[in-house]
């Protein structure tokens, strides 16, 4: 038990630390290589494009410290390089204005298509308009934008179903009812859909959402989780919007000694999330695959560059990972 508590607290501390660092130019968290400046990235990209040919693509996400977004970036980069294309990348770092400015910069570098995971579904509008004016094709991934008239296609997990799977599990575990707390992000369409699915699943039951907090940055999770636990002595379920958030919630629950009375649930199916389920930490996580999303997004980009049509949306299946099936779902890797 002490090991679970310590691991949960360390996960929380790491999350806050990662959320607090990082500049405007993104770097891989897989190593400690210093970040290049935007100018350096531009220069190296232009040189690569001139010598190798191919298209220049862009990728920007709401936060590149999130393992899900890292896995998506890595897959897009691998596919791009295999075809002789170049992938520019930028960490939105939960700042929509910086993300918009970065998109302008990538347009200036000759970007032909953008893989976009917006910080704010509304606030990204100026960047979408800039892409439209420059003829850049926009493919949204994992989370959508409000004005879908300016994108080619939206590729995501079925986030509504992911939330619904969590809600159905709650009703199954607590047929007589329970108290639920949420940590959500109303700026992210993917999270909005997850919450909507959970709410639909518990509608008409005695399972009730008794407390909820909205976050804009990851360093808000720990204090919000502490506030919710302090205010709610009779809580049975604590749901977090993704595995990083939920692992911090878990650490807080364990530090309060309430792990036997509160089940922490999540959406992502990250290796750390599934491993936690396997070890008796998180109770469940609705698993999605950033690799599958990236594969479909790149396939669509290739078709668009070749003048072919694509569907307006692609919705990929999720699987609820619980103690009963976690061993069958490769805890060490993304699904």
């Amino acid at each position: 038990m002490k090991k679970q508590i310590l691991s949960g607290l360390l996960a929380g501390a790491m999350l806050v630390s990662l959320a607090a660092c990082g500049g405007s130019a993104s770097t891989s968290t897989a190593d400690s290589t210093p970040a290049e400046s935007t100018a350096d990235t531009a220069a190296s990209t232009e040189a690569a494009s001139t010598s190798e040919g191919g298209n220049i693509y862009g990728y920007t996400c709401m936060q590149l410290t999130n393992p899900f977004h890292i896995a998506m970036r890595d897959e897009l980069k691998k596919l791009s390089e295999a075809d002789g294309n170049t992938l520019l990348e930028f960490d939105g770092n939960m700042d929509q204005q910086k993300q918009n400015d970065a998109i302008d910069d990538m347009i200036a570098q000759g970007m032909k298509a953008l893989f976009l995971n917006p910080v704010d579904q509304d606030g990204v509008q100026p960047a979408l308009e800039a892409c439209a004016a420059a003829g850049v094709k926009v493919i949204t991934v994992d989370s959508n934008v409000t004005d879908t008239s300016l994108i080619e296609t939206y590729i995501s997990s079925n986030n509504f179903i992911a939330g619904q799977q969590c809600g159905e599990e709650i009703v199954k575990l607590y047929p007589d009812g329970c108290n639920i707390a949420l940590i959500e992000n109303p700026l992210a369409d993917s999270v909005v859909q997850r919450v909507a699915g959970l709410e639909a699943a518990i509608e008409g039951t005695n399972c009730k959402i008794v407390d909820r907090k909205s976050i804009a940055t990851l360093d808000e999770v720990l204090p919000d989780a502490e506030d919710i636990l302090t205010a709610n002595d009779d809580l049975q379920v604590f749901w977090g919007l993704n595995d990083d958030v939920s692992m911090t919630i878990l650490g807080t629950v364990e530090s309060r000694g309430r792990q036997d009375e509160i089940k922490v649930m999540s959406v992502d199916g990250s290796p750390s999330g599934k491993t936690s389920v396997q070890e008796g930490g998180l109770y469940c996580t609705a698993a999605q695959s950033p690799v599958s999303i990236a594969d479909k997004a790149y396939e669509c980009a290739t078709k668009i560059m070749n003048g072919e049509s694509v569907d307006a949306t692609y919705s990929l299946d999720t699987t609820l990972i619980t103690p009963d099936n976690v061993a069958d779902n490769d805890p060490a890797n993304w699904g």
Side-chain angles (χ1 to χ4, degrees), residues 105-146:
D105 184 57
M106 289 189 283
I107 291 171
Q109 294 180 51
M111 175 175 63
K112 299 299 183 184
L114 172 66
F115 303 106
L116 170 65
N117 173 252
V119 172
D120 183 329
Q121 59 187 338
D122 295 312
V124 74
Q125 183 70 16
L128 295 177
E129 293 172 357
C131 285
V136 174
K137 307 301 184 182
V138 179
I139 297 168
T140 50
V141 289
D142 185 48
S143 196
N144 208 358
V145 297
T146 299

Side-chain angles (χ1 to χ4, degrees), residues 1-9 250-251 254 259 279-281:
M1 188 62 66
K2 288 182 178 178
K3 182 178 179 181
Q4 286 185 7
I5 294 173
L6 179 58
S7 65
L9 287 173
L250 175 64
E254 291 180 338
Q259 61 276 0
E279 295 177 349

Side-chain angles (χ1 to χ4, degrees), residues 37 73 76 94 106 186 207 280 318:
S37 69
R73 184 277 314 274
L76 288 170
M94 299 308 294
M106 289 189 283
C207 298
T318 62

Side-chain angles (χ1 to χ4, degrees), residues 204-220:
T205 74
N206 288 322
C207 298
K208 307 294 183 184
I209 298 172
V210 297
D211 206 346
R212 61 205 304 165
K213 297 281 189 181
S214 296
I215 63 168
T217 60
L218 293 174
D219 56 4
E220 298 174 67

Side-chain angles (χ1 to χ4, degrees), residues 93-311:
N93 204 26
M94 299 308 294
D95 186 323
Q96 188 58 65
Q97 186 56 56
K98 287 184 178 179
Q99 189 177 54
N100 289 350
D101 291 344
I103 291 170
D104 285 340
D105 184 57
M106 289 189 283
I107 291 171
Q109 294 180 51
M111 175 175 63
K112 299 299 183 184
L114 172 66
F115 303 106
L116 170 65
N117 173 252
V119 172
D120 183 329
Q121 59 187 338
D122 295 312
V124 74
Q125 183 70 16
L128 295 177
E129 293 172 357
C131 285
V136 174
K137 307 301 184 182
V138 179
I139 297 168
T140 50
V141 289
D142 185 48
S143 196
N144 208 358
V145 297
T146 299
D147 186 357
T148 57
S149 70
L150 296 178
I151 67 169
E152 301 297 313
T153 185
Y154 169 46
I155 298 145
S156 71
S157 304
N158 192 323
N159 285 293
F160 184 91
I161 294 298
Q164 187 176 54
Q165 289 171 335
C166 292
E168 289 172 349
E169 187 71 10
I170 292 170
V171 173
K172 184 177 78 172
L173 290 169
Y174 302 99
D176 297 325
C178 66
N179 293 328
I180 307 164
L182 310 178
I183 291 184
E184 56 191 332
N185 177 3
L187 297 179
D189 175 71
S190 57
V191 178
V192 172
Q193 291 300 314
R194 292 170 193 176
V195 173
L198 189 153
E199 290 175 326
I202 66 173
E203 186 176 0
T205 74
N206 288 322
C207 298
K208 307 294 183 184
I209 298 172
V210 297
D211 206 346
R212 61 205 304 165
K213 297 281 189 181
S214 296
I215 63 168
T217 60
L218 293 174
D219 56 4
E220 298 174 67
V221 178
L222 184 59
D224 281 355
E226 290 176 339
D227 288 347
I228 286 174
L229 292 175
T230 299
N232 296 276
D233 293 330
D234 187 17
L235 199 63
Q236 287 79 42
V237 176
F238 204 151
W239 181 92
L241 62 91
N242 64 25
D243 285 353
D244 281 351
V245 169
S246 296
M247 290 293 287
T248 301
I249 292 170
L250 175 64
T252 309
V253 167
E254 291 180 338
S255 71
R256 298 281 183 107
R258 298 178 66 179
Q259 61 276 0
D260 293 333
E261 63 187 82
I262 299 175
K263 287 182 168 56
V264 181
M265 299 187 177
S266 187
V267 173
D268 253 357
S270 65
S272 61
K274 288 188 289 187
T275 299
S276 182
V277 172
Q278 187 175 49
E279 295 177 349
L282 295 181
Y283 177 76
C284 67
T285 178
Q288 55 182 341
S289 173
V291 174
S292 296
I293 292 174
D295 288 344
K296 177 57 73 173
Y298 189 82
E299 175 189 319
C300 288
T302 301
K303 287 183 175 180
I304 292 166
M305 291 297 101
N306 290 333
E308 300 175 40
S309 62
V310 297
D311 293 344

